[in-house]
Amino acid sequence: MKQKAIQGPPSESGVHQPRAHLDGINLPKDFPVPTLKQVREDAVEAKQMQQHPEEYEDIVFMFPPGSPANQETLPKHLKLGLVFNNLLPGLFKFSYFVAEGDVPEDVVSDCIWALSLFIRVMEECSENVLRAAGHVKKNNDFKMSRYITLINARAKIVSHLIKSKRVEEAVPYAKAIVDEEYSRGADAWLENPMPFMVYGETLLLSRLDDHEAVKMLRRAMLGVESDKWPADSRGVSSQVKGRALLARALRNVGADEEAGPHEKFLVNWFRKHPRTMDETSMRRLLLPEGPVLRELGGETWLDNRKQTSKTEQRLTKLCRTCGAREPLVTLMRCNNCKYTYYCSRECQRANWKLHNERAQILDKIERMSLTDPDGAKRAADWSQWCNANHDANQFGLVHALGLHQDPERGRTHIVIKYVEYVPTATKLKHKFSVVSCGVFLIKDVLRDIEVAMNLDPGEGEEYIDSVVREVRERPGEDGRKRIQFIDFSLGDGISPWLGGGATTIEAIRAHPYNPDWRKLFNVGAPPSPMKLVSGAKDVEHVF
């Protein structure tokens, strides 16, 4: 495929081009979605259709010749839904396939309209009609296809309606998702608690039924607190959100005593993690001001909260093997290195081979301290910086690699950083300053990495594979696809370090693309572009 440079700024949604995403379906990375230009053109026509639907009632809608669907008489509203879908394919396809967070604000209302029509068609039309219209593929199981399609369409319209402050309209769609979950088995909230949390949230925000909101949110909490729910960062954020919503709902029904423990948990958690959650979600949970935000210090705290070295260290405190985090699990620190954490003996044993390599490095540093204390201090700081700073600067790497536009670049590209030691720095993250950095194709810099690490030709690829394998083998968040990335750091007087990490597409979308990502690495001047001896070209803007 011919490479080309990106032209122009990112789109309004914070990514270069909105991408397709459906829960439960692995869409190819190059799945085509309509351009924003086409969608906006359709949106103009959609407004005309909404104002004068009667002008389209006489259009004859025909299915393919010989289709049994041609024998059916459709109600007016269903026929119009099919007609509008055919006349505005860009808008309808965009509204269903594109992730909610990637939809620009100026077309959200049009996407809501398109989704509402599409949902009615999927709910009320027969199998013959849906297959003839192409909404269910010929060889796909009808019930499962309709279930997955409706789950995704309803989830997206609920999200759009909540963000548009049209919460009452979101309630029936959220309830329909929950009803569908109920039909699939008893105690459905233990298998999939999030629909119950979303339904509870819509009831809470709309105040249509406070007691039902409490019921739904209690069930959601049973799910996110069960052993079936992941204990990683997504599990933590689910529990924080669930507790915040449930505490508010309990206050609404006068159950202040039951709300108290949840509020105490939240105050403690937000104080320790003031910047873990994205700004929009944080404000949505804490505003309008209630007992939790009042205890934290009100909107003044919300507006001025800062990340400290201690809170940054908490970002990196997780089980090295499975990614589990406190407070969902109790983490135990390795007695030897005093740095790495595990949630169980099983996870510690699973990670032993790689961790043993780190233990050997620490042992070497300890021996060095007897003859070269300054060198040992630098090596110890470097070891800690590599492991802690990598996670703390995760989003700097995400932006650098362009994972917003192409998540697969994490497999083919690498960020290389040249650093300098700053022994006078008091905070760990400032101990090493990134002097220069760049984004390169892995295949173009393999020899550079091998030379820097004193490896034989061919060993660089093996080493990178081992790092990627470690990341890949860590369980994903609730089975969600992990977006991998690697970076390589080197400098004078330190051992080169190759590290790997992973994030999720949801986490990427929660942090809009930042073209000034270099500023995320240093407190002072950002690193300059990097030039390699091999002549490998920086491909940050080549997609």
Side-chain angles (χ1 to χ4, degrees):
M1 182 182 294
K2 186 177 180 180
Q3 294 181 331
K4 61 179 181 179
I6 299 174
Q7 300 294 329
S11 67
E12 297 89 334
S13 61
V15 294
H16 291 280
Q17 170 63 27
R19 288 171 291 111
H21 173 76
L22 295 176
D23 283 336
I25 300 177
N26 288 322
L27 297 172
K29 71 169 187 175
D30 56 351
F31 185 88
V33 296
T35 64
L36 288 174
K37 181 177 182 294
Q38 180 185 356
V39 172
R40 290 189 170 108
E41 289 173 353
D42 278 4
V44 172
E45 291 190 45
K47 290 178 174 60
Q48 171 70 20
M49 293 176 177
Q50 293 174 64
Q51 292 174 0
H52 303 286
E54 68 281 355
E55 295 180 6
Y56 302 87
E57 292 176 359
D58 295 332
I59 294 178
V60 178
F61 187 86
M62 292 295 294
F63 296 103
S67 170
N70 285 317
Q71 307 302 316
E72 297 189 27
T73 301
L74 294 173
K76 184 189 300 181
H77 67 280
L78 294 182
K79 191 185 85 166
L80 279 176
L82 292 167
V83 167
F84 291 154
N85 195 331
N86 268 27
L87 293 176
L88 305 173
L91 176 61
F92 275 77
K93 184 176 182 179
F94 186 91
S95 65
Y96 176 68
F97 282 104
V98 170
E100 305 95 286
D102 285 1
V103 176
E105 289 185 12
D106 62 308
V107 296
V108 167
S109 62
D110 301 291
C111 286
I112 290 173
W113 173 76
L115 283 168
S116 67
L117 294 177
F118 179 62
I119 289 170
R120 290 201 70 176
V121 166
M122 290 300 301
E123 287 175 337
E124 300 179 31
C125 284
S126 68
E127 178 177 352
N128 287 334
V129 169
L130 293 178
R131 288 194 185 278
H135 295 325
V136 176
K137 292 184 178 180
K138 182 179 179 180
N139 297 321
N140 286 3
D141 179 79
F142 175 70
K143 288 185 178 180
M144 180 55 67
S145 293
R146 183 157 71 170
Y147 165 74
I148 292 175
T149 301
L150 281 172
I151 285 290
N152 276 285
R154 287 167 177 159
K156 289 184 177 183
I157 198 171
V158 167
S159 177
H160 290 321
L161 287 167
I162 291 177
K163 290 178 182 177
S164 302
K165 302 189 185 305
R166 296 163 57 180
V167 185
E168 286 192 24
E169 296 176 58
V171 172
Y173 294 109
K175 183 179 186 300
I177 298 175
V178 166
D179 289 343
E180 193 74 50
E181 293 299 315
Y182 277 135
S183 71
R184 297 175 67 81
D187 297 341
W189 52 88
L190 296 179
E191 297 295 332
N192 189 10
M194 297 316 292
F196 295 86
M197 189 176 295
V198 173
Y199 181 35
E201 182 180 12
T202 62
L203 291 170
L204 170 66
L205 295 175
S206 65
R207 299 299 301 271
L208 289 177
D209 190 333
D210 290 336
H211 288 280
E212 184 70 3
V214 169
K215 177 182 175 181
M216 290 299 108
L217 292 169
R218 279 175 175 160
R219 288 183 170 179
M221 285 304 299
L222 288 174
V224 300
E225 290 180 332
S226 74
D227 293 338
K228 295 181 179 180
W229 198 245
D232 54 20
S233 57
R234 183 168 183 261
V236 173
S237 63
S238 298
Q239 186 164 142
V240 170
K241 179 179 179 179
R243 285 178 180 270
L245 296 174
L246 180 55
R248 282 189 178 274
L250 289 167
R251 290 277 180 181
N252 287 344
V253 298
D256 295 3
E257 188 173 341
E258 186 181 346
H262 295 295
E263 292 164 349
K264 183 178 180 180
F265 171 95
L266 292 165
V267 170
N268 184 52
W269 191 86
F270 280 121
R271 279 179 176 159
K272 290 183 176 180
H273 307 87
R275 286 285 179 184
T276 300
M277 192 172 287
D278 68 271
E279 191 72 16
T280 301
S281 299
M282 191 94 158
R283 291 183 176 275
R284 194 159 132 187
L285 288 180
L286 294 178
L287 293 174
E289 184 177 309
V292 174
L293 185 55
R294 202 156 38 245
E295 182 68 22
L296 288 168
E299 290 193 48
T300 301
W301 175 86
L302 191 59
D303 294 335
N304 299 295
R305 67 193 190 282
K306 294 180 179 179
Q307 192 79 282
T308 65
S309 57
K310 185 173 287 188
T311 59
E312 278 204 350
Q313 287 173 14
R314 291 193 184 105
L315 292 176
T316 67
K317 189 177 179 182
L318 73 166
C319 176
R320 192 67 173 180
T321 303
C322 72
R325 292 180 179 270
E326 292 181 330
L328 302 190
V329 297
T330 299
L331 293 175
M332 300 171 289
R333 189 166 60 179
C334 173
N335 286 330
N336 293 326
C337 75
K338 309 296 184 185
Y339 176 79
T340 305
Y341 290 88
Y342 297 101
C343 68
S344 65
R345 293 290 184 188
E346 290 74 19
C347 278
Q348 186 178 24
R349 281 194 289 268
N351 188 242
W352 173 245
K353 182 179 178 181
L354 287 165
H355 183 58
N356 191 41
E357 293 178 4
R358 174 172 167 76
Q360 291 174 8
I361 293 173
L362 294 175
D363 184 58
K364 181 180 178 181
I365 292 172
E366 187 173 348
R367 292 197 306 272
M368 186 191 301
S369 65
L370 301 176
T371 57
D372 182 9
D374 290 340
K377 180 67 168 60
R378 180 174 60 244
D381 287 342
W382 176 238
S383 179
Q384 289 190 45
W385 188 87
C386 287
N387 284 275
N389 199 53
H390 181 73
D391 287 331
N393 281 331
Q394 169 174 300
F395 286 106
L397 299 174
V398 167
H399 297 306
L401 290 166
L403 301 187
H404 292 78
Q405 178 167 349
D406 183 4
E408 295 301 317
R409 279 166 65 93
R411 298 174 179 271
T412 56
H413 293 62
I414 186 171
V415 177
I416 299 182
K417 298 181 289 188
Y418 187 86
V419 304
E420 282 185 351
Y421 184 42
V422 186
T424 56
T426 56
K427 295 182 179 179
L428 175 62
K429 70 174 183 177
H430 300 155
K431 288 286 186 180
F432 292 87
S433 175
V434 181
V435 178
S436 62
C437 63
V439 180
F440 303 91
L441 279 166
I442 293 174
K443 66 181 182 64
D444 290 346
V445 295
L446 277 175
R447 191 58 193 141
D448 295 271
I449 293 173
E450 289 169 344
V451 170
M453 300 187 73
N454 197 27
L455 300 173
D456 292 331
E459 289 185 341
E461 189 170 3
E462 294 177 9
Y463 198 97
I464 289 175
D465 285 345
S466 69
V467 172
V468 171
R469 196 179 309 116
E470 181 198 4
V471 175
R472 188 189 306 125
E473 289 174 355
R474 295 176 194 166
E477 301 192 358
D478 189 30
R480 298 194 175 211
K481 182 179 179 182
R482 294 167 66 82
I483 310 300
Q484 298 170 202
F485 53 84
I486 56 175
D487 73 314
F488 182 63
S489 301
L490 69 162
D492 292 337
I494 54 176
S495 301
W497 182 81
L498 184 70
T503 184
T504 63
I505 198 67
E506 291 77 19
I508 291 174
R509 290 191 178 114
H511 297 77
Y513 172 71
N514 182 358
D516 295 323
W517 54 266
R518 281 181 170 81
K519 294 180 180 179
L520 299 176
F521 290 127
N522 296 333
V523 174
S528 61
M530 173 175 278
K531 292 184 179 180
L532 298 178
V533 176
S534 65
K537 294 183 179 180
D538 189 310
V539 292
E540 176 190 351
H541 295 297
V542 179
F543 284 78

